[in-house]
Amino acid sequence: MKPTIAIGDIHGLATWKTIVENHPESRIIFLGDYLDPYMYIPNKVLINNLRNIIDLKKERADDVILLLGNHDVHYFVEDAPSCTRRNYQIAPEAFKIFTENQTLFTYAFQDGQTIFTHAGISQQWFDFDFGGDPNSNIADQINNPANKVRQNAIFSIGYLRGGMRSDRGGILWADIDELTNPLQGYTQVVGHNRVEKITERQGSTPDTKIIFCDCLFNDCYLQL
């Protein structure tokens, strides 16, 4: 069993390169959001950084997992809501890159009772919005939505992120305050919600917890 490194939202940062170099024998899981930086980064640098991450995946296909975030899907999924900081100057090239390499990306990754998504899975979203089956592999259900209801749930935005008051955020948009009751029986590793350092939250049962990892801007990442 290889150790696992989870890297939170990239947003154009190249810090991931040093992390990968320092953990050559580890499985590397990127939690999404490769573009749309908070600070100014030249467009060419942004695109090259994304291409470098894709090249790493191609070189180490079995050891590198690329998850999608809300700041990724709005460049190539027609039904995806647009996020703040969407860069219309790079949109055509980003569309081309994501569509040409779409098979290299995924929405969720599961290793036993540990699930990796961009924003996280609340019990309420899984039960009532997604209509998931607790007895089947969770990541497989998310990556292969069986119907339109499940497809729409993946892109749902909760009230705390600008959706309707009755809505809950899905695996791309869930807010940290919507995840007080995470999917029971699993350890979740997520990005999306900025934290100063790796932050764990215990669920309602001893075998339930969620780990927030969107702190790459502070050079922090998760080692499992």
Side-chain angles (χ1 to χ4, degrees), residues 113 123 179-188 200-210:
Q113 297 304 111
Q123 188 69 53
L179 295 167
T180 53
N181 183 25
L183 187 65
Q184 292 189 5
Y186 294 92
T187 292
Q188 292 189 61
E200 291 190 13
R201 176 186 287 172
Q202 184 65 44
S204 58
T205 62
D207 58 352
T208 302
K209 70 177 176 180
I210 187 164

Side-chain angles (χ1 to χ4, degrees), residues 55-115:
D55 288 341
L56 178 67
K57 170 65 175 176
K58 291 177 178 178
E59 293 166 8
R60 298 176 54 185
D62 295 333
D63 290 338
V64 175
I65 308 297
L66 302 183
L67 299 186
L68 289 165
N70 55 316
H71 284 273
D72 308 314
V73 296
H74 70 175
Y75 284 108
F76 71 100
V77 178
E78 184 176 354
D79 295 334
S82 289
C83 308
T84 57
R85 306 192 312 279
R86 186 179 192 272
N87 188 333
Y88 290 91
Q89 292 180 332
I90 67 169
E93 191 166 4
F95 173 84
K96 185 174 186 291
I97 292 171
F98 280 118
T99 52
E100 288 180 349
N101 297 281
Q102 195 166 349
T103 59
L104 302 181
F105 293 88
T106 190
Y107 286 121
F109 177 74
Q110 184 169 347
D111 185 357
Q113 297 304 111
T114 303
I115 302 173

Side-chain angles (χ1 to χ4, degrees), residues 31-47:
L31 297 175
D33 277 6
Y34 305 98
L35 301 173
D36 302 346
Y38 287 89
M39 74 295 289
Y40 172 73
I41 297 176
N43 289 339
K44 184 176 181 180
V45 174
L46 284 173
I47 290 296

Side-chain angles (χ1 to χ4, degrees), residues 131-146:
D133 178 1
N135 299 312
S136 298
N137 183 280
I138 306 299
D140 284 349
Q141 295 178 66
I142 292 171
N143 292 328
N144 303 284

Side-chain angles (χ1 to χ4, degrees), residues 126-161:
F126 185 75
D127 290 340
F128 302 113
D129 299 279
F130 187 73
D133 178 1
N135 299 312
S136 298
N137 183 280
I138 306 299
D140 284 349
Q141 295 178 66
I142 292 171
N143 292 328
N144 303 284
N147 51 54
K148 191 65 174 178
V149 171
R150 288 187 174 184
Q151 292 174 19
N152 291 338
I154 287 174
F155 300 105
S156 62
I157 306 175
Y159 175 69
L160 294 173
R161 294 281 178 151

